[in-house]
Amino acid sequence: MDFIHMQIKSDAAKLPLPLDILVPREGDRRRFKTVYLLHDFGANNTQWMRSTRVEQLMEGLDTVLIMPSCLNSFYVDMYYGSDFFTYLSQELVYTCEHWLGLDPGPERRIAAGVGMGGYGALHAALKVPEVFGTAFSADGMLNPSYYYAHPLEHVRMEDVFGPEE
């Protein structure tokens, strides 16, 4: 596997964002599946390479792993902040497919994540099934309203989703 670390100047989010990618060395990239692996709150794209064995687990699979950083956004277009859902579901998908020569079909795109990333994965697949054909959420933070009453460190829910009501 090849490991790519880069920065993307995002028009949607209006800031540069880091991105990690694992790409198999062999095979026809047009036939690969693409997994967009979304990090938890308080983490970033490096969470996967630093804290898991993701590189070893991906070895031998015809799958490209895209690990974006979307800050503490829940992967939505924030009420007060950047448009991270647009970045993920439009800009990032197009850019990665264009750069890497990947198949653009939704049946080959998977959104997956843990915690906040699990929320983002399900949100993306339900909102734009023509982009993400499959989603997986591990320990997804699927009830954001809970976090208005039980605040998260480093996340203002009002900035993400707007006023509680």
Side-chain angles (χ1 to χ4, degrees):
M1 297 226 96
D2 289 323
F3 174 65
I4 303 166
H5 177 79
M6 62 178 54
Q7 290 270 26
I8 292 180
K9 182 183 180 290
S10 170
D11 293 329
K14 297 178 182 61
L15 63 140
L17 294 168
L19 173 68
D20 291 336
I21 303 173
L22 285 174
V23 183
R25 285 185 172 221
E26 306 291 327
D28 180 1
R29 288 187 183 162
R30 290 170 297 176
R31 299 179 55 100
F32 289 172
K33 288 193 182 282
T34 306
V35 175
Y36 291 81
L37 189 56
L38 310 181
H39 64 81
D40 200 357
F41 82 95
N44 64 17
N45 54 299
T46 66
Q47 170 185 14
W48 304 109
M49 295 299 284
R50 288 185 300 110
S51 303
T52 72
R53 298 179 334 120
V54 70
E55 188 170 12
Q56 292 85 4
L57 295 170
M58 295 300 296
E59 198 65 48
L61 300 179
D62 289 339
T63 303
V64 173
L65 192 61
I66 310 290
M67 299 166 280
S69 182
C70 287
L71 309 178
N72 288 328
S73 68
F74 277 76
Y75 300 89
V76 300
D77 288 347
M78 296 173 69
Y79 194 83
Y80 296 114
S82 297
D83 291 342
F84 286 104
F85 173 75
T86 301
Y87 166 68
L88 172 67
S89 64
Q90 294 175 23
E91 189 175 36
L92 184 62
V93 168
Y94 173 80
T95 299
C96 289
E97 288 173 359
H98 179 74
W99 285 351
L100 299 171
L102 302 170
D103 181 1
E107 64 281 352
R108 297 212 168 279
R109 284 190 217 109
I110 301 163
V114 64
M116 179 190 77
Y119 176 90
L122 292 181
H123 176 259
L126 291 170
K127 191 164 183 176
V128 287
E130 68 277 9
V131 176
F132 296 103
T134 304
F136 174 78
S137 174
D139 196 22
M141 299 170 79
L142 303 181
N143 183 9
S145 62
Y146 172 84
Y147 300 103
Y148 282 88
H150 303 88
L152 298 167
E153 187 176 353
H154 308 299
V155 180
R156 284 183 29 89
M157 297 308 284
E158 295 82 7
D159 291 348
V160 178
F161 294 104
E164 185 174 3
E165 58 278 349

